[in-house]
């Protein structure tokens, strides 16, 4: 690619992904509300608000690919979620349409299915069961991406990220961990594949006893190589297991299922 845009570039996921993606494009444009530090030679920073349509059009113009990590990444109040994750998404797709439909990797979340019991194994067709307004906003993003593909051919890899961090720091994360290496290889496949279409993937490594089946990964030619297993002894020594019968023990979304709905 000549120009790759990464939104949410000051965030946690971008900070672990960026070093792994440097060869993907000649020019990598990093965008966020917050300043991004320690830029490489090929990276540049553009401060822009996802909720600002004009700014998004300027940012995306001339791009060949977009990794969309920006927005509210936790449960929050509706005004913030609406600006970053609802208005932000429509602005992103509007800008992509004007820019000639660069492929989009969209960071969704497993909180779209947070009310599913941990005893259920889900695939890409599982019914939506969002566990809060954050999860609802990701359901909106997935639906918008699907609609844009059906109507206009805009291709998107929806990645329902589990927990993308360098290491594992809870019992839950033993199931949900998505190593930065695996996320980076998924992104590479999404941009390299002859056909991407609209595709829903679970962003998860090859963890033991996971909750998700990646039924749309195989024909993309992607499979994870990491596993949380190497953290098992450390997690057992440092962290308490969830209380039996608690949401963290029973539901895929864990404590997110208990958060107040901040509708105004
Ligand atoms: P983060 O909160 O560290 O980064 C998100 C970035 O988006 C922040 O730097 C923030 O300044 C920026 N942002 C927020 N509102 C904005 C706006 N209106 N305009 C421009 N930029 C805005 O989140 P993190 O952990 O890096 O997550 C990245 C993406 O992955 C998010 O979309 C999140 O929902 C998703 N995700 C992450 C998971 C994880 O394991 N970290 C798990 C599931 C999903």
């Amino acid at each position: 690619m000549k120009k790759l845009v990464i939104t949410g570039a000051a965030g946690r996921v971008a900070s672990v992904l960026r070093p792994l993606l440097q060869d993907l494009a000649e020019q990598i444009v990093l965008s966020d509300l917050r300043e991004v530090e320690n830029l490489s030679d090929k990276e540049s920073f553009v401060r822009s608000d996802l909720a600002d349509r004009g700014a998004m059009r300027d940012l995306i113009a001339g791009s060949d690919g977009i990794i969309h990590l920006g927005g509210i990444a936790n449960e929050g109040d509706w005004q913030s979620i609406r600006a970053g994750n609802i208005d932000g998404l429509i602005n992103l797709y509007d800008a992509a349409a004007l820019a000639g439909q660069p492929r989009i990797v969209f960071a969704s979340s497993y909180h779209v299915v947070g009310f599913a019991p941990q005893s259920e194994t889900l695939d890409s067709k599982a019914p939506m069961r969002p566990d809060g307004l954050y999860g609802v906003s990701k359901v909106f993003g997935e639906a918008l991406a699907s609609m844009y593909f059906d109507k206009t051919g805009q291709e998107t890899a929806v990645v329902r990220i589990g927990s993308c961090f360098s290491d594992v720091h809870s019992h839950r994360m033993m199931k949900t961990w998505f190593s930065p290496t695996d996320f980076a290889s998924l992104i590479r496949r999404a941009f390299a594949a002859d056909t991407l279409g609209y595709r829903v993937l679970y962003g998860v490594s090859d963890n033991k006893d996971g909750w998700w089946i990646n039924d749309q990964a195989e024909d993309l030619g992607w499979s994870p190589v990491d596993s949380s297993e190497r953290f098992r002894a450390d997690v057992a020594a440092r962290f308490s297991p969830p209380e039996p019968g608690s949401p963290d023990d029973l539901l895929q979304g864990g404590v997110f299922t208990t958060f107040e709905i901040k509708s105004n």
Side-chain angles (χ1 to χ4, degrees):
M1 285 183 275
K2 280 208 163 63
K3 175 181 169 183
L4 170 68
V5 173
I6 304 180
T7 68
R12 293 166 298 184
V13 173
S15 70
V16 292
L17 275 183
R18 279 170 47 217
L20 306 176
L21 297 175
Q22 289 296 309
D23 60 326
L24 258 189
E26 288 169 21
Q27 188 198 352
I28 302 178
V29 178
L30 306 174
S31 183
D32 203 295
L33 286 174
R34 300 184 288 145
E35 182 96 26
V36 182
E37 284 159 10
N38 302 320
L39 302 188
S40 73
D41 288 348
K42 60 170 62 168
E43 289 175 332
S44 57
F45 172 67
V46 176
R47 192 186 308 276
S48 49
D49 185 345
L50 293 161
D52 179 339
R53 176 159 295 201
M56 290 305 289
R57 287 182 173 181
D58 291 346
L59 175 70
I60 302 297
S63 62
D64 307 299
I66 303 166
I67 303 173
H68 180 56
L69 304 172
I72 303 301
N74 217 319
E75 191 55 11
D77 67 273
W78 178 242
Q79 299 306 329
S80 313
I81 287 177
R82 189 175 70 181
N85 298 11
I86 305 289
D87 296 343
L89 251 285
I90 190 85
N91 290 342
L92 181 84
Y93 276 82
D94 161 77
L98 290 177
Q101 303 187 323
R103 277 188 186 169
I104 297 174
V105 174
F106 165 48
S108 183
S109 165
Y110 74 105
H111 290 289
V112 297
V113 290
F115 265 104
Q118 293 182 15
S119 55
E120 275 179 26
T121 305
L122 309 180
D123 67 12
S124 64
K125 303 283 189 296
M128 296 298 200
R129 297 188 69 180
D131 56 27
L133 296 176
Y134 167 65
V136 167
S137 74
K138 295 294 188 183
V139 171
F140 171 81
E142 293 192 12
L144 192 77
S146 170
M147 186 273 285
Y148 261 91
F149 176 65
D150 285 334
K151 232 168 218 190
T152 73
Q154 166 71 54
E155 294 184 296
T156 299
V158 165
V159 186
R160 291 180 181 167
I161 302 171
S163 308
C164 185
F165 295 89
S166 300
D167 59 5
V168 174
H169 41 262
S170 72
H171 286 263
R172 146 176 305 272
M173 274 180 68
M174 288 299 295
K175 308 265 177 52
T176 61
W177 187 57
F178 190 27
S179 78
T181 305
D182 283 336
F183 196 1
S185 72
L186 173 50
I187 289 168
R188 279 172 196 286
R189 279 308 306 153
F191 286 125
D194 290 340
T195 306
L196 180 65
Y198 167 78
R199 194 178 288 264
V200 175
L201 303 145
Y202 286 93
V204 67
S205 288
D206 186 21
N207 307 327
K208 206 174 158 196
D209 306 326
W211 301 322
W212 308 310
I213 295 172
N214 245 330
D215 54 305
Q216 299 194 4
E218 200 174 318
D219 76 308
L220 185 64
W222 176 78
S223 55
V225 296
D226 273 326
S227 160
S228 59
E229 211 47 33
R230 69 175 187 270
F231 297 101
R232 188 168 294 278
D234 180 57
V235 167
R238 291 172 58 210
F239 304 101
S240 310
E243 182 120 346
S246 67
D248 205 27
D249 183 42
L250 296 177
L251 298 171
Q252 297 195 6
V255 292
F256 274 62
T257 62
T258 68
F259 295 153
E260 182 195 351
I261 303 168
K262 293 186 181 158
S263 56
N264 52 23

